[in-house]
């Protein structure tokens, strides 16, 4: 069906079958051929979400446990924190502060099937590599520690003590600690995060790549440079007071569904709700909030958007520059358009920025954003009419070549009118994973600050390394070169979340040892090193019993609230250990002469928190504050207009607009998105309710005019080729074109399948993030068979 690969020297033909097991990547349970597409006109959430939750619970082998989980999830009185997203819990104590995605994730975790020794004895790793990712996870919970036996190509049981000894022996046998890399996903608790980085730094390296390197690294670097802190400044009280909320590069209905409650409340009080996104999503129109029972009973909808701005992919920086230009022009005749008192007292670099904006032609702004000047001026007028403005964004901004610069320009726009450090206003990066922000706060960072390392040395009595370590892409490249020989992952599905999957696979297989601490089987367990360990851990919903009794762990949400979480059900297997227990075991085996009280920490997590309170700013009296109703908010100096930058002021950024807006003749700019029936790399089905797609994930959403130019109709077979910075090309065959509301010259498709099109060279210069949402591609109709 597919044409023969072009053998051109600068081309890497990476059709999915070119890598062992790659043909199954990302595929769900529904075969290509049984698919359909329809327009979705219903409100987000509402009865669609309620029906979906009902079906999920009915299909669950443990529906009673699932329903019980709903009643305690996100509750401050002994409940557990939903692992589905990082949106803050309702401070009023709402009893059903849950969403469809959270229910799916928790019931997926609670599944009764087990991946135990009998399962692994029945299936070779070579066979499992041919399974779809959905089918791998559907095997169920990992039940006991396993190690790879190369003679039989099977995973076989190993005791916990022998597993820890293997980790310790291999790590101590390395020529340098820098020959190991230690990855974490956002699921790790604050306590486990702190132990993880303490072990790694006492071992002697800062090679701590994490999922932030692939998602919000741009946000952290930009905000740190602009306001002295890598976090947003808003909390939910601000969302209740804002006159306007701008959402950029975010699809709230799928990525943070509980946000819909706050958007609906904002609409009722008359706030402007602006969605800036290449795709018009269901979350930008209307909703019925499921726990608002009168609305559900009467089918009464509430707006979640008052304006849609369909910016071109990568055009957000130019759009924000246009808003700033219109605001500054308005200030020429009306000085009140600017907050001069704030600018003069709290900022630096305004005059230089004003000059750069004035010198930026409107023609360049329109070309870069894809938005007409009149529409940009209307957006700016809306901004000027609002006294308190929040600008929130997600990965649709950060996984770009110019993600850092875009966040800097967002901050510039906020600074012009003093919209930082006052109620109802500020920057708000929307984190997608439940504790990805807490991981950074508690020390997982390959670029640690000297102040953090000094405090760690003082309190913990270690001599941490000072040189920067490896981020995600650099770690993959080092594994390719055999400079990194051990890879340890705390959670996640690294090989599927990373870019350039064939090269990531190759890099992982180059390792002498790979260690995966996980709850369920996934692709990263069947793409492994010469030796491999699977270490099964407790899920967030399971009780954690240690020597001193039941333990709680804390997480930090995307608005810097920290609260404690307790599991509510018995562990899926008696062999499971907590993340802290596993880390303590690996640390003791690696560092036999360590003076760090690893076992004391494992026995009682209060002891970990006592140490954290001495190391981490804002965590003073950690144990007591974490147990308060709804926990506590970490102090955010920029919220108080205390800007911890070198100048002591918020910094305007005065860079030029990028000149790479044109993908080239006949080419498109491609962004990747998540489907609604998906959590990160976990794919629950091939359906995407809000985009009206059923039974299909190998799809490219395209503008109608772009489809006509290529002679395409809905579901026609296409080949998609990407063009990397290093001159190589990557091609996927047999995708299907689907017409959708995207701007001309732009296209979209699902991650993780399309990650294969992003080369290791395709990283942002400023953030080192893979630019998976900013790929130049060519779409060609397949010839008839």
């Amino acid at each position: 069906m597919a044409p023969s690969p072009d053998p051109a020297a600068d081309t890497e033909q990476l059709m999915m079958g070119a890598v062992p097991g790659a043909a199954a990547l990302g595929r769900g349970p529904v075969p290509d051929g049984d698919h359909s597409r329809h327009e979705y006109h219903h409100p987000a959430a509402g009865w669609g979400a309620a029906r979906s939750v009902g079906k999920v619970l009915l299909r669950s082998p443990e529906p009673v446990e699932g329903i019980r989980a709903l009643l305690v999830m996100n509750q401050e009185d002994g409940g557990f924190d939903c692992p589905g997203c990082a949106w803050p819990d309702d401070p009023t104590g709402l009893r059903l502060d849950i969403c469809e995605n959270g229910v799916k994730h928790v019931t997926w975790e609670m599944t009764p099937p087990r991946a135990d020794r009998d399962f692994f004895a029945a299936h070779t790793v070579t066979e499992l590599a041919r399974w779809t990712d959905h089918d791998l996870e559907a095997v169920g919970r990992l039940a006991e520690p396993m190690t790879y036996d190369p003679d039989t190509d099977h995973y076989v049981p190993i005791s916990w003590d022998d597993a820890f000894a293997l980790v310790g022996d291999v790590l101590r046998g390395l020529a340098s600690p820098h020959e190991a890399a230690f990855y974490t996903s956002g699921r790790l608790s604050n306590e486990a995060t702190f132990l993880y980085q303490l072990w790694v730094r006492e071992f002697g390296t800062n090679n701590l790549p994490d999922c932030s390197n692939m998602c919000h690294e741009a946000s952290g670097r930009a905000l740190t440079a602009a306001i002295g802190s890598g976090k947003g400044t808003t909390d939910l009280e601000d969302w209740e007071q804002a006159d306007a909320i701008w959402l950029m590069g975010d699809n709230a209905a799928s990525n943070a569904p509980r946000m819909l409650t706050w958007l609906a409340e904002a609409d009722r009080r008359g706030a402007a709700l602006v969605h800036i996104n290449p795709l018009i999503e269901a979350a930008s129109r209307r909703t019925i909030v499921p726990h608002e029972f009168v609305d559900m009973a009467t089918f009464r909808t509430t707006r979640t958007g008052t304006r849609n701005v369909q910016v071109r992919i990568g055009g957000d920086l130019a759009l924000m520059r246009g808003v700033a230009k219109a605001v500054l022009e308005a200030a020429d005749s009306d000085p009140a358009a600017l907050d001069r008192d704030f600018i003069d007292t709290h900022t630096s670099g305004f005059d230089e920025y004003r000059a750069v904006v004035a010198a930026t032609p409107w023609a360049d702004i329109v070309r870069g954003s894809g938005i007409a000047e009149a529409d940009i001026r209307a957006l700016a007028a809306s901004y000027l009419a609002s006294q308190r403005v929040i600008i929130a964004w997600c990965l649709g901004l950060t996984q770009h070549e110019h993600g850092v610069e875009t966040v800097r320009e967002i901050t510039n726009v906020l600074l012009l009118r003093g919209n930082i450090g006052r109620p109802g206003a500020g920057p708000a990066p929307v984190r997608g994973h439940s504790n990805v922000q807490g991981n950074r706060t508690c020390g997982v960072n390959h670029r640690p600050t000297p102040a953090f390392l000094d405090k760690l040395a003082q309190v913990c009595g270690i001599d941490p390394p000072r040189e920067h370590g490896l981020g995600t892409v650099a770690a993959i490249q080092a594994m390719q070169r055999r400079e990194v020989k051990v890879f340890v992952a705390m959670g996640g599905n690294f090989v599927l979340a990373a870019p350039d999957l064939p090269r990531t696979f190759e890099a992982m297989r180059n390792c002498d040892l790979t260690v995966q601490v996980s709850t369920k089987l996934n692709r990263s367990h069947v793409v492994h090193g010469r030796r491999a360990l699977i270490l099964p851990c407790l899920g967030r919903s399971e009780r954690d019993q240690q020597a001193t009794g039941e333990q709680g762990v804390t997480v930090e949400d995307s608005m810097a609230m920290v609260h404690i979480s307790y599991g509510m059900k018995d562990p899926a297997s008696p062999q499971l250990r907590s993340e802290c227990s596993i880390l303590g075991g690996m640390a003791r085996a690696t560092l036999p002469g360590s003076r760090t009280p690893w076992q004391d920490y494992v026995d009682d997590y209060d002891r970990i928190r006592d140490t954290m309170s001495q190391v981490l700013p804002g965590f003073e009296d950690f144990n007591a504050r974490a147990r308060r109703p709804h926990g506590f908010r970490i102090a955010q100096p920029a919220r108080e207009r205390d800007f911890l930058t070198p100048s002591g002021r918020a910094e305007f950024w005065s860079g030029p607009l990028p000149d790479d807006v044109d993908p080239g003749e006949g080419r498109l700019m491609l962004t990747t998105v998540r489907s609604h029936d998906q959590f990160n790399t976990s794919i629950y089905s091939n359906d995407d309710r809000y985009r009206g797609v059923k039974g299909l994930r190998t799809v490219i959403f395209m503008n109608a005019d772009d489809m006509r130019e290529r002679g395409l109709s809905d579901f026609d077979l296409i080949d998609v080729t990407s063009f990397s910075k290093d001159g190589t090309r990557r091609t996927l065959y047999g995708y299907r074109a689907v017409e959708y509301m995207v701007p001309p010259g732009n296209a979209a498709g699902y991650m993780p399948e399309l990650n294969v099109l992003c080369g290791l060279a395709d990283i942002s210069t400023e953030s080192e993030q893979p630019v998976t949402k900013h790929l130049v591609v060519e779409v060609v109709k397949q010839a008839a068979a």
Side-chain angles (χ1 to χ4, degrees), residues 223 227-234 427 437 559-560 633-642 644:
L223 290 173
I227 63 174
S229 168
K231 303 178 185 183
T233 64
T234 68
Q437 185 159 299
M559 296 184 191
R633 194 172 196 273
I634 302 171
Q636 165 57 293
R639 183 178 172 84
E640 308 304 323
R641 297 186 169 178
D642 179 12
L644 304 181

Side-chain angles (χ1 to χ4, degrees), residues 269-292:
R269 67 171 187 273
L273 302 173
V274 179
H275 294 260
I276 300 170
N277 200 326
L279 283 71
I280 294 180
E281 303 280 21
S284 69
R285 296 189 288 258
R286 305 189 74 83
T287 189
I288 303 176
V289 178
H291 61 251
E292 293 179 352

Side-chain angles (χ1 to χ4, degrees), residues 281-349:
E281 303 280 21
S284 69
R285 296 189 288 258
R286 305 189 74 83
T287 189
I288 303 176
V289 178
H291 61 251
E292 293 179 352
F293 301 120
V294 173
D295 288 357
M296 287 286 283
T298 60
F299 296 89
R300 185 174 64 193
T301 66
T302 306
R303 287 190 307 181
T304 50
T306 57
R307 184 190 300 267
N308 269 294
V309 181
Q310 277 193 276
V311 68
R312 58 169 289 277
I313 294 168
D316 305 272
L317 170 54
L319 179 69
M320 289 295 101
R321 178 64 54 87
V323 170
K325 189 175 181 70
V327 169
L328 288 166
E329 289 176 357
D332 291 338
S333 56
D334 179 11
L338 301 178
D339 187 337
R340 285 302 315 218
D341 181 62
F342 173 82
I343 291 171
D344 294 341
T345 305
H346 295 291
T347 75
S348 175

Side-chain angles (χ1 to χ4, degrees), residues 383-434:
Y383 181 61
L384 287 166
S386 304
Q387 294 301 311
R388 299 175 297 276
V389 179
I390 290 171
I391 301 182
W393 65 91
C394 200
L395 306 191
L397 256 69
T398 60
Q399 291 178 324
H400 287 257
E401 174 65 42
H402 306 290
V404 172
E405 297 95 322
T406 301
V407 176
R408 291 299 304 270
E409 192 70 3
I410 288 170
T411 310
N412 287 343
V413 169
L414 291 168
L415 292 175
L416 289 175
R417 291 179 52 77
N419 275 311
I420 295 181
R422 70 179 184 199
V430 180
R431 316 282 178 171
H433 213 314
S434 63

